[in-house]
Coordinates of all heavy atoms in Angstrom, one line a residue:
F54 N 53.1 163.0 108.1 CA 51.9 163.1 107.3 C 50.6 162.8 108.2 O 49.7 163.5 108.1 CB 51.9 162.1 106.2 CG 50.7 162.2 105.2 CD1 50.6 163.3 104.3 CD2 49.7 161.3 105.3 CE1 49.6 163.3 103.5 CE2 48.6 161.4 104.4 CZ 48.5 162.5 103.6
D55 N 50.8 161.8 109.2 CA 49.7 161.6 110.1 C 49.5 162.6 111.1 O 48.5 163.0 111.6 CB 49.9 160.2 110.8 CG 49.7 159.1 109.9 OD1 49.0 159.3 108.8 OD2 50.2 158.0 110.1
A56 N 50.7 163.2 111.7 CA 50.7 164.2 112.7 C 50.5 165.6 112.3 O 50.0 166.4 113.1 CB 52.1 164.1 113.5
F57 N 50.7 165.8 111.0 CA 50.6 167.3 110.5 C 49.3 168.0 110.7 O 49.2 169.1 111.2 CB 51.1 167.4 109.1 CG 51.4 168.8 108.7 CD1 52.7 169.3 109.0 CD2 50.6 169.6 107.9 CE1 53.1 170.5 108.6 CE2 51.0 170.9 107.7 CZ 52.2 171.3 107.9
P58 N 48.2 167.3 110.5 CA 46.9 168.0 110.6 C 46.6 168.4 112.1 O 45.9 169.4 112.3 CB 45.9 167.0 110.1 CG 46.6 166.0 109.3 CD 48.0 166.0 109.8
H59 N 47.1 167.6 113.1 CA 46.8 167.9 114.5 C 47.9 168.8 115.1 O 47.5 169.7 115.9 CB 46.7 166.6 115.2 CG 45.8 165.6 114.6 ND1 44.4 165.8 114.6 CD2 46.0 164.5 113.9 CE1 43.8 164.8 113.9 NE2 44.8 164.0 113.6
H60 N 49.1 168.6 114.8 CA 50.3 169.3 115.4 C 51.2 169.8 114.4 O 52.4 169.3 114.2 CB 50.9 168.4 116.4 CG 50.1 167.7 117.3 ND1 49.5 168.4 118.4 CD2 49.7 166.5 117.5 CE1 48.7 167.7 119.1 NE2 48.9 166.4 118.6
W61 N 50.8 170.8 113.5 CA 51.6 171.1 112.4 C 52.9 171.8 112.8 O 53.9 171.6 112.1 CB 50.8 172.1 111.5 CG 50.4 173.4 112.1 CD1 49.3 173.6 112.8 CD2 51.2 174.6 112.1 NE1 49.3 175.0 113.3 CE2 50.5 175.6 112.9 CE3 52.4 175.0 111.6 CZ2 51.0 176.8 113.1 CZ3 52.9 176.2 111.8 CH2 52.1 177.1 112.5
F62 N 52.9 172.6 113.9 CA 54.0 173.3 114.3 C 55.2 172.2 114.8 O 56.4 172.4 114.4 CB 53.8 174.3 115.4 CG 55.1 175.0 115.9 CD1 55.6 176.0 115.1 CD2 55.6 174.6 117.1 CE1 56.8 176.6 115.5 CE2 56.8 175.3 117.5 CZ 57.3 176.3 116.7
L63 N 54.8 171.3 115.7 CA 55.7 170.3 116.1 C 56.3 169.4 114.9 O 57.5 169.0 114.9 CB 55.2 169.4 117.2 CG 55.1 170.1 118.6 CD1 54.3 169.2 119.5 CD2 56.3 170.5 119.1
A64 N 55.4 169.0 114.0 CA 55.8 168.2 112.8 C 56.9 169.0 112.0 O 57.8 168.4 111.6 CB 54.6 167.8 112.1
T65 N 56.6 170.2 111.8 CA 57.5 171.1 111.0 C 58.8 171.2 111.7 O 59.9 171.1 111.1 CB 56.9 172.4 110.7 OG1 55.6 172.2 110.0 CG2 57.8 173.2 109.8
L66 N 58.8 171.5 113.1 CA 59.9 171.6 113.9 C 60.8 170.5 113.8 O 62.0 170.5 113.6 CB 59.6 172.0 115.3 CG 60.7 172.2 116.2 CD1 61.6 173.4 115.8 CD2 60.2 172.4 117.6
K67 N 60.2 169.2 113.9 CA 60.9 168.0 113.9 C 61.6 167.8 112.5 O 62.7 167.3 112.4 CB 60.0 166.8 114.3 CG 60.9 165.6 114.3 CD 60.2 164.3 114.8 CE 61.2 163.2 114.9 NZ 60.7 161.9 114.5
I68 N 60.9 168.1 111.5 CA 61.5 168.0 110.1 C 62.7 168.8 110.0 O 63.7 168.4 109.5 CB 60.4 168.3 109.0 CG1 59.4 167.2 109.0 CG2 61.1 168.4 107.7 CD1 58.2 167.5 108.2
I69 N 62.7 170.1 110.4 CA 63.7 171.0 110.4 C 64.9 170.5 111.2 O 66.1 170.5 110.8 CB 63.3 172.4 110.8 CG1 62.3 172.9 109.7 CG2 64.5 173.3 111.0 CD1 61.6 174.3 110.2
L70 N 64.6 170.1 112.5 CA 65.6 169.6 113.3 C 66.3 168.3 112.7 O 67.5 168.2 112.9 CB 65.1 169.3 114.8 CG 64.7 170.5 115.6 CD1 64.0 170.1 116.8 CD2 65.9 171.3 115.9
A71 N 65.5 167.5 112.1 CA 66.1 166.2 111.6 C 67.0 166.4 110.4 O 68.1 165.9 110.3 CB 65.0 165.3 111.1
I72 N 66.7 167.4 109.6 CA 67.4 167.9 108.4 C 68.8 168.5 109.0 O 69.9 168.2 108.5 CB 66.7 168.8 107.5 CG1 65.6 168.0 106.8 CG2 67.7 169.5 106.5 CD1 64.7 168.8 105.9
A73 N 68.7 169.3 110.1 CA 69.9 169.8 110.7 C 70.8 168.8 111.2 O 72.0 168.9 111.1 CB 69.5 170.9 111.7
L74 N 70.2 167.8 111.9 CA 71.0 166.6 112.4 C 71.7 165.9 111.3 O 72.9 165.6 111.4 CB 70.0 165.7 113.2 CG 70.7 164.5 113.8 CD1 71.7 164.8 114.8 CD2 69.6 163.6 114.4
V75 N 71.0 165.6 110.3 CA 71.7 164.9 109.1 C 72.9 165.8 108.6 O 73.9 165.3 108.4 CB 70.7 164.6 108.0 CG1 71.4 164.1 106.8 CG2 69.7 163.5 108.4
G76 N 72.6 167.0 108.4 CA 73.7 167.9 108.1 C 74.8 167.9 109.0 O 76.1 167.9 108.6
G77 N 74.5 167.9 110.3 CA 75.6 167.9 111.3 C 76.4 166.6 111.3 O 77.6 166.5 111.4
L78 N 75.7 165.5 111.1 CA 76.3 164.2 111.0 C 77.3 164.0 109.7 O 78.3 163.5 109.8 CB 75.3 163.1 111.0 CG 74.6 162.9 112.4 CD1 73.5 161.8 112.2 CD2 75.6 162.5 113.4
E79 N 76.8 164.6 108.6 CA 77.6 164.7 107.5 C 78.9 165.5 107.6 O 80.0 165.2 107.2 CB 76.9 165.2 106.2 CG 75.8 164.2 105.7 CD 76.5 162.9 105.2 OE1 77.4 163.1 104.4 OE2 76.0 161.9 105.5
V80 N 78.8 166.7 108.4 CA 79.9 167.5 108.6 C 80.9 166.7 109.6 O 82.1 166.7 109.4 CB 79.5 168.8 109.3 CG1 80.7 169.6 109.8 CG2 78.8 169.6 108.2
L81 N 80.3 166.0 110.6 CA 81.1 165.2 111.4 C 81.9 164.1 110.7 O 83.2 164.0 110.9 CB 80.2 164.5 112.5 CG 80.9 163.5 113.4 CD1 81.9 164.2 114.3 CD2 79.8 162.6 114.1
A82 N 81.2 163.5 109.7 CA 81.9 162.5 108.9 C 83.1 163.1 108.2 O 84.2 162.5 108.0 CB 81.0 161.7 108.0
A83 N 82.8 164.3 107.6 CA 83.8 165.0 106.7 C 85.1 165.4 107.6 O 86.2 165.2 107.2 CB 83.2 166.1 106.0
Y84 N 84.8 165.9 108.8 CA 85.8 166.3 109.7 C 86.6 165.1 110.2 O 87.7 165.2 110.5 CB 85.3 167.2 110.8 CG 85.0 168.7 110.5 CD1 85.2 169.1 109.2 CD2 84.6 169.6 111.4 CE1 85.0 170.4 108.8 CE2 84.3 170.9 111.1 CZ 84.6 171.3 109.8 OH 84.3 172.6 109.5
K85 N 85.8 164.1 110.5 CA 86.5 162.8 111.0 C 87.5 162.3 110.1 O 88.5 161.7 110.4 CB 85.4 161.8 111.5 CG 86.0 160.5 112.0 CD 86.7 160.8 113.4 CE 87.3 159.6 113.9 NZ 88.0 159.7 115.1
A86 N 87.2 162.4 108.8 CA 88.0 161.9 107.7 C 89.4 162.7 107.8 O 90.4 162.2 107.4 CB 87.4 161.9 106.4
Q87 N 89.3 163.9 108.2 CA 90.5 164.8 108.2 C 91.1 164.8 109.7 O 92.0 165.5 110.0 CB 90.2 166.2 107.9 CG 89.7 166.4 106.5 CD 89.2 167.8 106.2 OE1 89.2 168.7 107.0 NE2 88.8 167.9 104.9
I88 N 90.4 164.0 110.6 CA 90.9 163.9 112.0 C 90.9 165.3 112.6 O 91.8 165.6 113.3 CB 92.2 163.2 112.2 CG1 92.2 161.9 111.3 CG2 92.5 162.9 113.6 CD1 93.5 161.2 111.2
K89 N 89.8 166.1 112.5 CA 89.6 167.3 113.0 C 88.3 167.6 113.7 O 87.6 168.5 113.3 CB 90.0 168.5 112.1 CG 91.2 168.5 111.4 CD 91.5 169.8 110.6 CE 90.3 170.0 109.6 NZ 90.6 171.1 108.6
V90 N 87.9 166.8 114.6 CA 86.5 166.8 115.2 C 86.6 167.8 116.4 O 87.5 167.5 117.3 CB 86.0 165.5 115.6 CG1 84.7 165.6 116.2 CG2 85.9 164.6 114.4
S91 N 85.8 168.8 116.5 CA 85.8 169.7 117.5 C 84.7 169.4 118.6 O 83.7 168.7 118.2 CB 85.6 171.1 117.0 OG 84.3 171.4 116.6
W92 N 84.9 169.8 119.8 CA 83.9 169.6 120.8 C 82.7 170.4 120.5 O 81.6 169.9 120.9 CB 84.5 170.1 122.2 CG 85.5 169.1 122.7 CD1 86.8 169.1 122.8 CD2 85.2 167.8 123.2 NE1 87.3 168.0 123.3 CE2 86.3 167.1 123.6 CE3 84.0 167.1 123.5 CZ2 86.4 166.0 124.3 CZ3 84.0 165.9 124.2 CH2 85.2 165.3 124.5
R93 N 82.7 171.5 119.8 CA 81.6 172.2 119.6 C 80.6 171.5 118.7 O 79.4 171.5 118.8 CB 81.9 173.6 118.9 CG 82.3 174.7 119.9 CD 82.3 176.0 119.2 NE 83.6 176.5 119.3 CZ 84.0 177.6 118.6 NH1 83.3 178.2 117.8 NH2 85.3 178.0 118.8
L94 N 81.2 170.9 117.7 CA 80.4 170.1 116.8 C 79.9 168.9 117.4 O 78.7 168.6 117.2 CB 81.4 169.6 115.6 CG 80.7 168.7 114.5 CD1 79.5 169.5 113.8 CD2 81.7 168.2 113.5
L95 N 80.6 168.3 118.3 CA 80.0 167.1 119.0 C 78.8 167.5 119.9 O 77.8 166.9 120.0 CB 81.1 166.4 119.8 CG 82.1 165.7 119.0 CD1 83.2 165.1 119.9 CD2 81.5 164.6 118.2
I96 N 79.0 168.7 120.6 CA 77.9 169.2 121.5 C 76.7 169.5 120.6 O 75.6 169.3 121.0 CB 78.4 170.4 122.3 CG1 79.4 169.8 123.3 CG2 77.3 171.1 123.0 CD1 80.2 170.8 124.1
L97 N 77.0 170.2 119.4 CA 75.8 170.5 118.6 C 75.1 169.3 118.2 O 73.8 169.3 118.2 CB 76.3 171.3 117.4 CG 75.3 171.6 116.3 CD1 74.3 172.6 116.9 CD2 76.0 172.2 115.0
I98 N 75.7 168.3 117.8 CA 75.1 167.0 117.3 C 74.3 166.4 118.5 O 73.2 165.9 118.3 CB 76.1 166.1 116.6 CG1 76.6 166.7 115.3 CG2 75.5 164.7 116.5 CD1 77.7 165.9 114.7
L99 N 74.9 166.4 119.7 CA 74.2 165.9 120.8 C 72.9 166.6 121.1 O 71.9 166.0 121.4 CB 75.2 165.9 122.0 CG 74.5 165.4 123.4 CD1 74.2 163.8 123.2 CD2 75.5 165.6 124.5
V100 N 73.1 167.9 121.1 CA 71.8 168.8 121.3 C 70.8 168.5 120.2 O 69.5 168.4 120.5 CB 72.2 170.3 121.3 CG1 70.9 171.1 121.3 CG2 73.1 170.6 122.6
L101 N 71.2 168.4 119.0 CA 70.3 168.1 117.9 C 69.6 166.7 118.1 O 68.4 166.6 117.9 CB 70.9 168.2 116.6 CG 71.2 169.6 116.0 CD1 72.1 169.6 114.7 CD2 69.9 170.4 115.8
F102 N 70.3 165.7 118.5 CA 69.8 164.4 118.7 C 68.8 164.4 119.8 O 67.6 163.9 119.7 CB 70.9 163.4 119.2 CG 71.4 162.5 118.1 CD1 72.6 162.5 117.7 CD2 70.5 161.5 117.5 CE1 73.1 161.7 116.7 CE2 70.9 160.7 116.5 CZ 72.2 160.6 116.1
V103 N 69.0 165.1 120.9 CA 68.1 165.1 122.0 C 66.9 166.0 121.6 O 65.7 165.6 122.0 CB 68.8 166.0 123.2 CG1 67.9 166.2 124.3 CG2 69.9 165.0 123.9
A104 N 67.1 167.1 120.9 CA 65.9 167.8 120.3 C 64.9 167.0 119.4 O 63.7 167.1 119.6 CB 66.4 169.1 119.7
V105 N 65.6 166.3 118.5 CA 64.8 165.5 117.6 C 64.0 164.4 118.4 O 62.8 164.2 118.1 CB 65.7 164.8 116.5 CG1 64.8 163.8 115.7 CG2 66.1 165.9 115.6
F106 N 64.7 163.7 119.3 CA 64.0 162.8 120.1 C 62.9 163.3 121.0 O 61.8 162.8 121.1 CB 65.0 161.9 121.0 CG 65.8 160.9 120.3 CD1 67.1 161.0 120.0 CD2 65.2 159.7 120.0 CE1 67.8 160.0 119.4 CE2 65.9 158.7 119.4 CZ 67.2 158.8 119.0
A107 N 63.2 164.5 121.6 CA 62.2 165.1 122.4 C 61.0 165.6 121.7 O 59.8 165.3 122.1 CB 62.8 166.3 123.2
V108 N 61.2 166.2 120.5 CA 60.1 166.6 119.7 C 59.3 165.4 119.2 O 58.0 165.4 119.1 CB 60.5 167.6 118.6 CG1 59.4 167.9 117.6 CG2 61.0 168.8 119.2

Side-chain angles (χ1 to χ4, degrees):
F54 185 75
D55 289 340
F57 198 80
H59 308 290
H60 308 291
W61 64 271
F62 180 76
L63 284 178
T65 305
L66 180 63
K67 185 172 183 215
I68 291 168
I69 292 169
L70 287 172
I72 292 171
L74 176 62
V75 168
L78 290 173
E79 286 296 315
V80 169
L81 172 70
Y84 280 2
K85 181 63 182 178
Q87 299 173 358
I88 312 172
K89 298 190 309 189
V90 179
S91 69
W92 282 104
R93 278 194 241 171
L94 179 61
L95 293 176
I96 291 170
L97 174 68
I98 290 173
L99 179 65
V100 167
L101 285 171
F102 259 117
V103 170
V105 169
F106 278 106
V108 173

